[in-house]
Amino acid sequence: QVQLRESGPVLVRPEQTLSLTCTVSGGSITANSYYWNWVRQSPGVGLEWLGAINYSGTTFYNPSFRSRTSISWDTAKNQFTLQLSSVTLADTAVYYCARDRGGGIYYTQLAEYDYWGQGTQVTVSS
């Protein structure tokens, strides 16, 4: 059973960088065919796909967030990380990490992913 767990600060100041880590258990992040995604959800906006890193370490980004987003991994720890810079109040959301086989940019519901974490509420506030 694959499990994903998000961790990181729950409060971030405006203009700072939001950093979240997803720890994966029950399967390797280098296993063939899988993509490891970061998505977020907020009231009135719905599910937003931020980006992904795939089994070979290739990264993919939502063009709307590309200038502020960086995704990396630590294969020794079986973790992947999101960094979102220059945050504003609009970046307040529940952030999830999730697994699929590609196509995450088109999903509108979390349930379309194979597995996802419990989510972590991140609030941007001064």
Side-chain angles (χ1 to χ4, degrees):
Q1 177 80 2
V2 175
Q3 293 184 323
L4 296 88
R5 178 172 53 87
E6 305 89 353
S7 60
V10 297
L11 179 64
V12 184
R13 305 297 185 193
E15 295 306 313
Q16 290 189 341
T17 296
L18 180 162
S19 294
L20 295 174
T21 296
C22 183
T23 301
V24 179
S25 59
S28 172
I29 59 174
T30 61
N32 201 23
S33 302
Y34 293 118
Y35 289 64
W36 304 92
N37 302 265
W38 284 103
V39 300
R40 70 184 190 184
Q41 201 160 31
S42 55
V45 177
L47 193 68
E48 292 184 295
W49 180 79
L50 301 176
I53 186 166
N54 75 357
Y55 54 94
S56 65
T58 303
T59 52
F60 306 83
Y61 297 101
N62 185 327
S64 297
F65 299 96
R66 179 60 188 96
S67 63
R68 302 195 292 131
T69 307
S70 178
I71 296 174
S72 59
W73 69 356
D74 185 333
T75 56
K77 295 181 179 180
N78 218 37
Q79 296 175 332
F80 62 105
T81 301
L82 168 73
Q83 291 193 312
L84 182 66
S85 63
S86 303
V87 297
T88 69
L89 301 183
D91 292 311
T92 294
V94 179
Y95 286 76
Y96 298 89
C97 54
R99 191 193 84 171
D100 75 340
R101 293 180 181 267
I105 190 171
Y106 302 109
Y107 300 162
T108 59
Q109 299 182 49
L110 204 56
E112 296 184 76
Y113 292 91
D114 299 336
Y115 295 95
W116 57 93
Q118 80 283 0
T120 186
Q121 171 72 50
V122 177
T123 301
V124 179
S125 176
S126 56

